[in-house]
Amino acid sequence: MGDVFSKAERSRVMSRIRGRGNKDTELALKQFLRRHRISGWRRHLPVFGKPDFIFPKLKLAIFVDGCFWHCCPKHSSLPSSNRPFWKRKLDQNKRRDKLVIQTLRAQGWRVLRIWEHELSRNREAALLRRICRSMKSTHGAETTLRRT
């Protein structure tokens, strides 16, 4: 069955749809940080690229990237329908990610990107090591990480 809208009308309708962010993955990382008593992070501060979590004192920005939207090498695949659109869209996302990383690093920030699949319980120890390593490689990390 064909579309009930013309191509222009479909474009107008779709342009009005706004994403709701990556709420589930952000909440999973928030719970992870709390479970491991990692403090000093903030969310929704006006930092270029809109990091999901930042540690202002450490100048550490953390992004949680969805495997599909950010082209995870393990889990990403191009949809079979409308391939040119999706290739262009996902390539734009990768270019924006690179720009954000370069800009933040130029401003003195450290950037940690976490894949959505790294938030699973069976990968928790590896993720904890990555976050701790990122925090310790910045000054003042000892006061932020309180593990028992």
Side-chain angles (χ1 to χ4, degrees):
M1 181 175 167
D3 198 346
V4 296
F5 294 118
S6 68
K7 192 169 185 173
E9 183 65 14
R10 172 60 61 198
S11 179
R12 188 189 70 73
V13 168
M14 295 304 287
S15 73
R16 305 292 298 165
I17 298 172
R18 297 290 173 241
R20 291 180 277 179
N22 56 347
K23 189 174 182 179
D24 291 340
T25 53
E26 284 183 30
L27 290 177
L29 183 57
K30 180 179 171 182
Q31 290 169 348
F32 175 89
L33 294 172
R34 287 186 172 160
R35 187 168 47 252
H36 293 284
R37 295 183 162 183
I38 299 173
S39 62
W41 49 270
R42 298 289 175 263
R43 296 175 64 197
H44 310 299
L45 292 181
V47 175
F48 181 79
K50 299 179 183 175
D52 298 311
F53 294 84
I54 65 166
F55 290 82
K57 291 180 181 177
L58 303 176
K59 285 200 88 165
L60 173 64
I62 298 179
F63 294 86
V64 183
D65 293 337
C67 290
F68 173 75
W69 293 106
H70 297 270
C71 300
C72 169
K74 290 185 177 183
H75 300 105
S76 181
S77 63
L78 206 54
S80 58
S81 65
N82 206 0
R83 284 180 96 81
F85 167 81
W86 285 109
K87 179 161 178 23
R88 189 171 52 253
K89 170 70 175 161
L90 297 175
D91 286 346
Q92 286 173 345
N93 289 351
K94 289 193 292 188
R95 281 194 300 276
R96 185 185 64 239
D97 290 345
K98 286 180 183 177
L99 173 67
V100 167
I101 290 169
Q102 290 171 348
T103 304
L104 287 176
R105 285 184 177 160
Q107 294 174 356
W109 286 87
R110 295 184 49 78
V111 178
L112 176 62
R113 297 197 87 94
I114 298 171
W115 288 112
E116 171 185 15
H117 69 263
E118 292 181 280
L119 293 171
S120 66
R121 283 285 201 169
N122 61 343
R123 299 198 52 151
E124 196 163 302
L127 179 58
L128 183 60
R129 283 191 300 273
R130 278 188 69 206
I131 291 173
C132 290
R133 194 170 38 247
S134 293
M135 293 174 69
K136 287 179 181 176
S137 63
T138 60
H139 299 292
E142 297 77 24
T143 60
T144 307
L145 181 61
R146 293 188 315 258
R147 294 182 57 212
T148 56

